[in-house]
Amino acid sequence: MGLEKIKLQLQILINYIMDYFYLDKNGQQQGPVSANELPKCGITRNSKVWKQGMSDWQTADSISELSGIFPPSVTPPPPPVVPPPMPPKIPSPASTQRPDNLLVWSILATVFCCIPSGIYAIMESNKVNKFWDVGDYTGAEKAANNAKTACFVSLGLGILTFIIAFVSGFIGALFNS
């Protein structure tokens, strides 16, 4: 029995000399464990380990004996560079013609046809050049279309007024004769 006890104590001493102690995530000393058991205990390359004969705690990757127990560190490739989204394409003055502002037609519609819709047509005509000069090409197109619509409305109202006046005069002349 004495020999068995000595063998057991000798085995404990050998394990103490050959095995490692490590610091867990909370900085508490754990072990001893064999070198092959370190990864099972959650030890990584950056974990602090110590064994008999070492002067101080060292990171596991700095000990040559432990270099084979950790998988090789693989640095993932950098993420692909994604170019920033392109801003929406706005037609430039070189690729698009300035829309006609219809100012002359707006003035004529105001004088000869219908004053309220003609004034609105003049206001929209003035906006065309202002929008175009600040680079709002969509706004310039919209203002030109509004001016054109107001000119047609003014023309239509002027023609309708002329027809009503002509018919009224004709009917009045019939009844007065």
Side-chain angles (χ1 to χ4, degrees), residues 48-115:
K48 298 283 188 175
V49 295
W50 178 88
K51 79 173 194 172
Q52 186 69 30
M54 293 173 62
S55 62
D56 200 7
W57 292 88
Q58 297 179 12
T59 57
D61 65 349
S62 67
I63 300 170
S64 61
E65 180 184 338
L66 300 179
S67 64
I69 66 168
F70 297 108
S73 63
V74 178
T75 305
V81 176
V82 177
M86 297 297 293
K89 182 162 173 58
I90 299 173
S92 63
S95 66
T96 306
Q97 260 187 328
R98 180 188 298 251
D100 184 13
N101 64 9
L102 302 168
L103 185 60
V104 172
W105 290 107
S106 299
I107 293 171
L108 291 175
T110 304
V111 172
F112 293 112
C113 296
C114 181
I115 294 174

